[in-house]
Amino acid sequence: MKKTLSRRARVATGGAVLAAVAAGTFGTVAANASAPEAAPDPAAAPAVAGKRDTTTSTHLTTDAATEAAQAALRAAGKEGQRITVAVVDRNGNTIVTLRGDGAGPQSYESAERKAYTAVSWNAPTSELEGRLENAPNLKDIPGTLFLGGGVPVTAGKAPIAGIGVAGAPSGTLDEKFARAGAAALN
């Protein structure tokens, strides 16, 4: 036999349940509000490096890299040469590469590799070409290309970027156009 509660009993029971839940919630909130704050965990604090633990480096802006690349393209265009120019940052990461109209497909990678080589050794790639006679294994270093056409960009004698040009009939011309790009930054 099922026992049925009257409407009045159900309302009273529901009210009592609601009052108990409200009292429990209020008590929990009140207890949390008055609990003392836990001491901060020193292991959870963020690490702060001191000045002697960090270094600052200078980088070209994207606008400056683009300006240099466009200057190299203009210089090559004045002589009827079809080139690709790449500008990389101090770490060898490409900032911008512009492939001129009609430049050969191989020139894209060659320009980037020349720029990387120039910034890595802080020297024009035409000078580095000569080092291969005494150290032929240099050419085996990944990402490098020891052909004329790459020049470093420096700030305070430290390399901050490299400009590489490829596609002209000689490394001498490639380097001439890369220098025109670097000169646009001064």
Side-chain angles (χ1 to χ4, degrees), residues 110-111 113-132 138 144-154 157-165 171-180 182:
S110 296
R113 290 175 61 191
K114 288 178 183 183
Y116 175 79
T117 304
V119 75
S120 295
W121 274 272
N122 194 22
T125 53
S126 61
E127 289 179 21
L128 297 170
E129 258 183 295
R131 295 184 189 179
L132 289 177
L138 283 178
T144 60
L145 186 58
F146 292 88
L147 298 174
V151 297
V153 176
T154 60
K157 298 183 182 182
I160 62 165
I163 300 175
V165 171
T172 303
L173 280 175
D174 284 342
E175 192 164 311
K176 176 181 177 180
F177 305 139
R179 288 186 186 280

Side-chain angles (χ1 to χ4, degrees), residues 9-144:
R10 285 192 310 242
V11 170
T13 303
V17 169
L18 284 174
V21 169
T25 301
F26 177 76
T28 302
V29 170
N32 285 337
S34 64
E37 194 172 307
D41 180 8
V48 178
K51 284 188 176 188
R52 67 186 177 123
D53 298 324
T54 62
T55 184
T56 302
S57 61
T58 303
H59 296 271
L60 283 182
T61 64
T62 303
D63 289 343
T66 302
E67 182 180 328
Q70 289 172 336
L73 280 175
R74 280 192 302 276
K78 288 178 184 175
E79 296 191 28
Q81 299 299 319
R82 298 174 176 154
I83 64 158
T84 297
V85 58
V87 181
V88 301
D89 68 12
R90 172 62 186 107
N91 300 318
N93 299 310
T94 302
I95 301 171
V96 65
T97 302
L98 298 178
R99 184 178 175 274
D101 295 335
Q106 79 289 352
S107 64
Y108 193 92
E109 182 179 348
S110 296
E112 288 184 337
R113 290 175 61 191
K114 288 178 183 183
Y116 175 79
T117 304
V119 75
S120 295
W121 274 272
N122 194 22
T125 53
S126 61
E127 289 179 21
L128 297 170
E129 258 183 295
R131 295 184 189 179
L132 289 177
E133 291 178 22
N134 296 329
N137 290 348
L138 283 178
K139 69 180 180 339
D140 297 333
I141 297 172
T144 60

